[in-house]
Amino acid sequence: MNRLSLVLPIAALSIVLAGAPVLADTPEVIAAKANRLDHAWSISVTLSHPDTGWDHYANAWQVLAPDDSVLGTRTLTHPHVEEQPFTRSIDHVVIPEGFDHVLIRVRCNLDGWSPRLIWLELPR
């Protein structure tokens, strides 16, 4: 096997990888809590993310039903460079009867929605 036959596959792989999206650190859920408020819920989520400023920051999180329907979205309107981790809430989230948990997903403005879902038990 000559040197050229080794270099070409490595060069092709480099081109493929160079075109692939580079995922930076996605937001991480440190804690989540659900509190019942009469006929709705208050959901609090503590996030950690290496916000660098307006170019890269955690910008939202959602509460999803077990069937993946969106029950609430908390938009984060600015970076939290100096405030890590940080907690934000959504009040008056209506969760249909019969569900014993919800799912939390997070997003940053650079990488989009994280594929990782966090399971949050609903106290009854």
Side-chain angles (χ1 to χ4, degrees):
M1 186 177 275
N2 65 31
R3 185 180 278 214
L4 185 58
S5 63
L6 291 175
V7 172
L8 287 178
I10 293 171
L13 180 60
S14 297
I15 291 168
V16 169
L17 292 177
V22 176
L23 295 179
D25 295 321
T26 59
E28 180 181 350
V29 175
I30 302 298
K33 187 174 183 180
N35 292 311
R36 193 161 183 78
L37 307 168
D38 293 323
H39 301 290
W41 294 80
S42 175
I43 309 293
S44 297
V45 172
T46 301
L47 295 178
S48 177
H49 182 261
D51 289 7
T52 59
W54 292 102
D55 59 324
H56 187 207
Y57 71 100
N59 68 347
W61 57 270
Q62 287 185 321
V63 180
L64 305 173
D67 65 3
D68 287 335
S69 59
V70 177
L71 302 174
T73 301
R74 175 65 192 243
T75 301
L76 305 169
T77 59
H78 61 87
H80 294 86
V81 176
E82 303 296 326
E83 182 188 0
Q84 291 290 327
F86 61 96
T87 303
R88 297 296 180 270
S89 300
I90 304 174
D91 291 332
H92 309 293
V93 177
V94 176
I95 300 172
E97 289 297 322
F99 290 138
D100 63 352
H101 71 280
V102 292
L103 303 166
I104 307 295
R105 73 174 170 183
V106 294
R107 179 180 74 195
C108 82
N109 68 329
L110 186 60
D111 298 312
W113 291 107
S114 172
R116 185 170 176 227
L117 299 175
I118 305 303
W119 181 294
L120 176 60
E121 289 288 330
L122 298 173
R124 296 287 178 175

